[in-house]
């Protein structure tokens, strides 16, 4: 195995009936009845999504394994978590997934920030009949035209993110929009969802510009947005790109003008990096916040202890919830080799965890739970570390997610 396709982090997490151990080196030889259940967390360890996913998603998956092993179960099979860095390259992500499945015995691929990577890995996973838990990509195509019976889309999607925030902004008078869009699958899908929802609410997208991922200088793009005279500038990007574009919008004085800057994707780690002085007042849709209730608070403090004191993003929470439910499904099924069968069992079992509460997984793979409209607090409103959000509105599943019949998922139609 070469470094080009094997994960940068070779450490792996083994869990068995006797407890938890860390191991290093090559994959352990094992008899068929003792072969570990292997989970591969394919993530961004080194670039613009590393804070929102990365090591935190690996930690979240390990916590899910811990909590599963602490509960009632039928199987005593050991469980292993490995991690890989796709570096936001679709071909590299696909190669890692193929190597994991063909030579590493990986049964499920988890996390997958960057929708272009997720779509490439989706093809490998379906061809090999393994399972895929998309917890960090947002393109709604993953349960639409690019759906697969081998995947679950857990945390959010572009439709769910735009439903709450776009409707709220239009209702407050933001009728004309300019889209500053990340130029890859996620950005394209979200822009389509925004155009549709804004139009449904009586507004319009009057202009837009496509921006390369991991851009360091947004000045020319922000000037185009400023010149459009639109009431709203929609930042359709994520992670480091969102942080950079917001900082530069502040420097240009756009946030102090009549134009409203709306971050269509915003994470806890982004707000932490920006600081409340810069981020205050931003409204956005999200599926999880660490300070929602006693269950989210208790888990998040456990997580922070293993993540250098940093509290979880929604994507890291999604890695936990999806992994835990996957393990329950494998245990109920009694096997993990048939990925499609495991995904079917995940859909058959009701979902229930301390982070997303009770829910279900729809036929197209869409995980159904509440979404929330949050607003970033003013500095004076924050009372303790990581106290950044106030809840504006809870968006129920029937309102948050695209109707099944509107997605165009082929295997559901058939």
């Amino acid at each position: 195995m070469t470094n080009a396709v094997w994960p940068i982090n070779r450490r792996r997490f083994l869990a068995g009936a006797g407890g938890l151990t860390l191991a290093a080196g090559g994959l352990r030889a094992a008899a068929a009845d003792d072969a570990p259940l292997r989970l591969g967390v394919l993530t961004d360890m080194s670039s613009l999504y590393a804070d929102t996913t990365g090591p935190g998603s690996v930690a979240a998956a390990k916590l899910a394994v811990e909590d599963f092993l602490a509960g009632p179960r039928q199987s005593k099979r050991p469980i292993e978590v490995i991690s890989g860095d796709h570096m936001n390259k679709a071909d590299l992500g696909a190669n890692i997934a193929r190597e994991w499945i063909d030579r590493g015995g990986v049964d499920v691929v988890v996390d997958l920030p960057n929708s272009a990577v997720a779509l490439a890995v989706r093809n490998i996973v379906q061809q090999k009949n393994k399972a895929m838990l998309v917890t960090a990509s947002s393109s709604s195509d993953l349960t639409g035209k690019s759906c697969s019976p081998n995947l679950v889309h857990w945390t959010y999607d572009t439709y769910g993110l735009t439903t709450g925030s776009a409707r709220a902004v239009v209702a407050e008078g933001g009728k004309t929009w300019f889209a500053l869009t990340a130029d890859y699958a996620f950005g394209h899908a979200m822009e389509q969802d925004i155009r549709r929802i804004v139009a449904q609410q009586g507004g319009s997208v009057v202009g837009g510009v496509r921006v390369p991922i991991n851009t360091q200088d947004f000045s020319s793009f922000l000037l185009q947005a400023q010149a459009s005279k639109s009431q709203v500038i929609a930042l359709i990007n994520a992670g480091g790109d969102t942080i950079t574009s917001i900082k530069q919008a502040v420097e240009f004085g756009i946030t102090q003008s009549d134009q409203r800057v709306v971050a269509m994707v915003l994470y806890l780690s982004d707000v932490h990096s920006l600081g409340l002085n810069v981020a205050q007042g931003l409204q956005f849709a999200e599926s999880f916040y660490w300070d929602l209730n006693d269950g989210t608070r208790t888990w998040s403090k456990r997580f922070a202890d293993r993540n250098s004191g940093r509290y979880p993003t929604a994507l890291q929470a999604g890695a936990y919830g999806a992994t835990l439910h996957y393990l329950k499904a494998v245990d109920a099924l009694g096997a993990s080799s048939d990925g499609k069968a495991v995904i079917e069992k995940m859909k058959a079992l009701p979902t229930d965890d301390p982070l997303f509460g009770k829910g279900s997984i729809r036929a197209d793979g869409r995980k159904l739970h509440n979404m929330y409209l949050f607003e970033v607090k003013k500095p004076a409103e924050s009372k303790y570390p990581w106290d950044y959000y106030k809840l504006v509105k809870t968006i129920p599943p029937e309102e948050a997610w695209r109707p099944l019949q509107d997605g165009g998922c082929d295997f559901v139609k058939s």
Side-chain angles (χ1 to χ4, degrees), residues 78-287:
I79 302 170
E80 174 182 300
V81 173
I82 64 174
S83 63
D85 187 350
H86 59 54
M87 301 182 184
N88 291 293
K89 298 176 181 178
D91 57 346
L92 178 59
N95 285 340
I96 292 173
R98 184 183 292 108
E99 184 81 357
W100 278 356
I101 293 168
D102 288 348
R103 298 180 60 189
V106 166
D107 296 289
V108 58
V109 183
V110 188
D111 203 40
L112 297 151
N114 189 312
S115 294
V117 175
L119 290 165
V121 172
R122 167 228 178 266
N123 297 333
I124 303 300
V125 167
Q126 183 165 315
Q127 290 166 9
K128 306 291 185 179
N129 192 25
K130 295 301 179 182
M132 179 172 166
L133 310 180
V134 183
T135 58
S137 292
S138 57
S139 174
S140 55
D141 288 345
L142 288 159
T143 53
K145 65 181 182 181
S146 298
C147 65
S148 168
N150 292 73
L151 73 78
V152 167
H153 201 178
W154 189 275
T155 313
Y156 64 3
D157 62 22
T158 51
Y159 185 98
L161 290 171
T162 57
T163 297
S165 53
R167 286 179 177 172
V169 171
V170 175
E172 292 172 0
K175 297 291 188 179
T176 58
W177 290 55
F178 184 96
L180 194 154
T181 305
D183 193 11
Y184 73 104
F186 140 70
H188 302 167
M190 177 165 271
E191 184 179 324
Q192 290 176 359
D193 287 329
I194 287 173
R195 288 180 180 276
R196 180 174 60 252
I197 291 171
V198 168
Q200 289 172 353
Q201 303 303 306
S204 63
V205 177
V206 298
V209 61
R210 297 284 172 86
V211 183
I213 188 173
N214 222 356
T215 291
Q216 300 303 308
D217 184 0
F218 282 83
S219 57
S220 64
F221 309 114
L222 289 168
L223 286 172
Q224 290 180 59
Q226 199 171 33
S228 74
K229 305 299 183 182
S230 64
Q231 294 170 307
V232 179
I233 299 173
L235 302 179
I236 309 175
N237 49 22
D241 282 347
T242 301
I243 293 170
T244 302
S245 54
I246 290 175
K247 285 181 177 178
Q248 293 181 2
V250 171
E251 292 171 3
F252 275 53
I254 296 174
T255 55
Q256 290 79 44
S257 70
D258 292 336
Q259 287 181 303
R260 179 174 179 179
V261 176
V262 176
M264 299 308 301
V265 183
L266 195 68
Y267 304 113
L268 188 71
S269 55
D270 300 338
V271 175
H272 186 73
S273 295
L274 288 165
L276 295 182
N277 280 324
V278 173
Q280 62 181 306
L282 287 172
Q283 286 191 350
F284 57 97
E286 189 57 285
S287 60

Side-chain angles (χ1 to χ4, degrees), residues 39 60-61 63-69 133 154 318-329 346 352-354:
L39 298 82
L63 271 174
V65 172
E66 257 188 54
D67 291 349
F68 171 73
L69 292 175
L133 310 180
W154 189 275
Y320 172 87
T323 299
L324 183 62
H325 192 65
Y326 170 84
L327 294 172
K328 292 176 182 177
M346 289 182 72
D352 189 5
D353 65 70

